């Protein structure tokens, strides 16, 4: 069975981020520009930290692609950390006499304390570097390959920011709107709400505080019949929720109406079924968010994720020194005030990787043509049913 798997490695201030994507069929047209386009989008957003002025994220394709097409071999990707040059002593691989002072005060909300307990770290820098959201640049690079695979099925994955700091957008997602949303500084479809979000971020930054929010990812054109109810881990919703909760700072996920469905009667939740000779089966609404019974319905897959505020506060919260256990203020270092727009782009990547893996498992194919052909044949069968 063909499946798509990826691993990433690398620290925020080490030499580079590295990713290996295994299971991509051969013959998929792919070049660095397609990947760089998403890396650039991940660096967008009002409220991002100064690191985004240092980095100009571009991918180095190290394996698995020849003359602009995948070969079926593992795809190896790398993204340089330009800032690494400023962290040579901190991130030295070899033993050095120039070791810097350890970080000993965990930041509430980050991986610092649980990471130190898990890995026995007496210098939180070991934890901070790998737990950093910087790693998501590698995931976005892998997601760009998955996006190309989904393109073979006629599926496009987009995202937008729904809320930041309690300010909620009032404009529903549309394919045209989502195509243009990168032009908004907060990747929000509602211009008025975007202005309010910007003010809220500026105010939080002035207070040394941070803001989170909600983003929505929509996969248009994903084929029906992917996923299954026969086992919990094959339910498409379970895989999507896991993918999104694997992004740093994500604390909640919902599909379709999500939590709102809990407060409505079934007569206002379930999408009635219709049929026509021209288009076959359809639904009168998409409250299910494109997934029913753990299986894709063919309607847009709609997922939303709740992102907690960035955990590094310039006005630090209370914490405890790891050695003395003295009550002190939490560690502070450069960070973002708000990264919800970037998290939405990461959300696109992990949704694309999840859907591409599920579709490959469903339709198979060691070449792009076999994969696309099998999906088309299934679509033909459905149209005849
Ligand atoms: C980030 C890079 C990091 C942070 C941020 C996101 O760079 P640096 O630590 O050098 O500033 O700015 O990471 C976090 C805020 C976090 O809490 O992990 C990036 O490239 O996305």
């Amino acid at each position: 069975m063909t499946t798509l798997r990826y691993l990433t490695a690398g620290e925020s201030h080490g030499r580079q981020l590295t990713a290996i994507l295994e299971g991509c069929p051969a013959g998929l047209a792919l070049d660095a520009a397609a990947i760089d386009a998403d890396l650039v989008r991940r660096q967008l957003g009002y409220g991002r930290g100064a690191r985004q002025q240092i980095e100009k994220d571009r991918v180095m394709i190290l394996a698995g692609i020849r003359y602009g097409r995948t070969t079926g071999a593992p795809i190896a990707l790398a993204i340089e950390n330009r800032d690494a040059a400023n962290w040579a002593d901190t991130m030295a691989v070899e033993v050095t006499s120039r070791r810097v002072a350890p970080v000993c005060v965990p930041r509430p909300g980050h991986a610092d304390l649980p990471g130190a307990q898990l890995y026995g770290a007496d210098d939180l820098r070991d934890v901070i570097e790998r737990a950093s959201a910087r790693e998501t640049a590698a995931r976005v690079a892998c997601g760009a390959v998955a996006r190309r695979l989904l393109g073979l099925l006629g599926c496009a994955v987009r995202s937008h920011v729904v809320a930041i700091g309690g300010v909620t957008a009032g404009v529903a997602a549309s394919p045209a709107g989502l195509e243009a949303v990168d032009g908004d500084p907060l990747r929000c479809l509602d211009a008025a709400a975007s202005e309010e979000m910007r003010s809220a971020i500026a105010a939080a930054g002035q207070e040394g505080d941070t803001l989170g929010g909600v983003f929505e990812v929509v996969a248009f054109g994903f084929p029906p019949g992917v996923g299954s109810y026969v086992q919990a881990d094959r339910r498409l919703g379970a895989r999507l929720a896991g993918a999104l909760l694997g992004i740093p700072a994500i604390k909640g996920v919902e599909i379709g109406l999500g939590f709102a469905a809990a407060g409505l009667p079934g007569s206002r939740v379930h999408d009635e079924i219709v049929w026509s000779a021209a288009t076959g089966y359809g639904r009168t609404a998409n409250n299910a968010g494109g997934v029913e019974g753990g299986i894709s319905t063919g309607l847009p897959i709609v997922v939303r994720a709740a992102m907690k505020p960035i955990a590094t506060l310039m006005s630090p919260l209370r914490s405890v020194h790891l050695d003395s256990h003295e009550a002190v203020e939490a560690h502070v270092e450069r960070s973002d005030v708000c990264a919800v727009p970037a998290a939405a782009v990461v959300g696109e990547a992990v949704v694309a990787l999840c859907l591409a893996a599920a579709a490959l498992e469903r339709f198979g194919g060691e070449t792009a043509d076999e994969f696309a052909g099998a999906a088309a044949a299934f679509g033909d069968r459905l149209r005849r049913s």
Side-chain angles (χ1 to χ4, degrees):
M1 175 177 73
T2 308
T3 190
L4 195 66
R5 301 180 299 161
Y6 74 95
L7 288 174
T8 73
E11 286 76 25
S12 181
H13 304 104
R15 283 184 54 187
Q16 69 179 39
L17 298 172
T18 308
I20 292 183
L21 184 65
E22 209 274 337
C24 182
L28 177 71
L30 192 69
D31 59 13
I35 298 171
D36 290 345
D38 280 346
L39 291 177
V40 168
R41 296 175 64 229
R42 192 199 72 94
Q43 292 197 266
L44 296 173
Y46 177 79
R48 298 286 266 135
R51 179 72 183 273
Q52 305 315 320
Q53 271 59 56
I54 298 170
E55 303 299 344
K56 297 287 175 279
D57 292 342
R58 298 291 180 274
V59 75
M60 291 173 275
I61 298 175
L62 305 174
I65 295 170
R66 187 164 177 264
Y67 297 147
R69 304 179 79 75
T70 58
T71 63
I75 297 170
L77 307 171
I79 301 162
E80 179 196 11
N81 287 323
R82 290 185 173 187
D83 200 20
N86 303 314
W87 294 70
D89 291 343
T90 305
M91 297 303 293
V93 172
E94 308 297 337
V95 174
T96 171
S97 60
R98 301 159 66 94
R99 185 180 180 124
V100 302
V103 177
C104 297
V105 182
R107 299 162 295 176
H110 248 298
D112 298 0
L113 182 56
Q117 291 169 326
L118 175 65
Y119 292 109
D122 54 12
D123 178 357
L124 293 174
R125 180 57 57 193
D126 289 355
V127 178
I128 293 171
E129 287 297 318
R130 181 59 188 167
S132 167
R134 174 71 185 156
E135 181 272 343
T136 62
R139 256 185 269 189
V140 165
C142 293
V145 181
R147 184 193 297 280
R148 272 295 173 91
L149 269 174
L150 291 175
L152 298 174
L153 311 183
C155 173
V157 182
R158 299 284 184 269
S159 71
H160 64 116
V161 170
V162 173
I164 286 180
V167 178
T168 302
V171 174
S174 67
L178 291 174
E179 284 301 324
V181 78
D182 285 341
D184 181 85
L186 291 165
R187 301 195 66 254
C188 179
L189 293 168
D190 180 336
S194 177
E195 269 307 306
E196 278 188 68
M197 291 171 181
R198 185 190 181 97
S199 301
I201 293 167
Q206 290 296 321
E207 297 294 317
D209 214 331
T210 59
L211 292 180
V214 178
F215 63 80
E216 182 175 81
V217 178
V218 185
F220 296 97
F222 189 70
V226 179
S228 177
Y229 51 75
V230 298
Q231 296 297 338
D233 62 357
R234 291 183 57 187
R235 283 181 170 268
L236 196 56
R239 297 177 69 164
L240 287 165
L244 285 161
L245 283 166
I247 300 171
I250 301 304
K251 302 301 279 186
V253 174
E254 60 182 14
I255 300 176
L257 274 184
F259 281 80
L264 295 169
S267 57
R268 293 182 49 200
V269 170
H270 305 304
D271 304 319
E272 291 180 297
I273 296 169
V274 293
W275 185 90
S276 78
T279 56
Y281 288 105
R283 298 295 196 289
T284 57
N286 187 26
N287 293 325
V291 180
E292 276 179 339
I295 304 168
S296 57
T297 63
L299 271 69
I301 291 181
V302 182
V303 288
R304 275 180 301 285
M307 181 181 192
K308 72 180 182 182
I310 299 284
T312 306
L313 302 188
M314 296 303 133
S315 301
L317 297 175
R318 287 171 297 176
S319 185
V320 173
H321 194 288
L322 291 185
D323 299 334
S324 65
H325 299 138
E326 182 192 355
V328 292
E329 287 189 341
H331 172 65
V332 176
E333 61 183 60
R334 181 181 61 197
S335 186
D336 304 281
V337 177
C338 179
V340 180
V345 176
V346 180
E348 289 178 28
V350 300
V351 166
L353 283 160
C354 175
L355 294 179
L360 268 168
E361 291 157 27
R362 168 73 178 80
F363 299 115
E366 293 298 339
T367 70
D369 289 346
E370 285 174 357
F371 172 53
F378 176 68
D380 292 343
R381 171 161 78 80
L382 283 193
R383 276 186 287 279
R384 290 194 301 274
S385 67

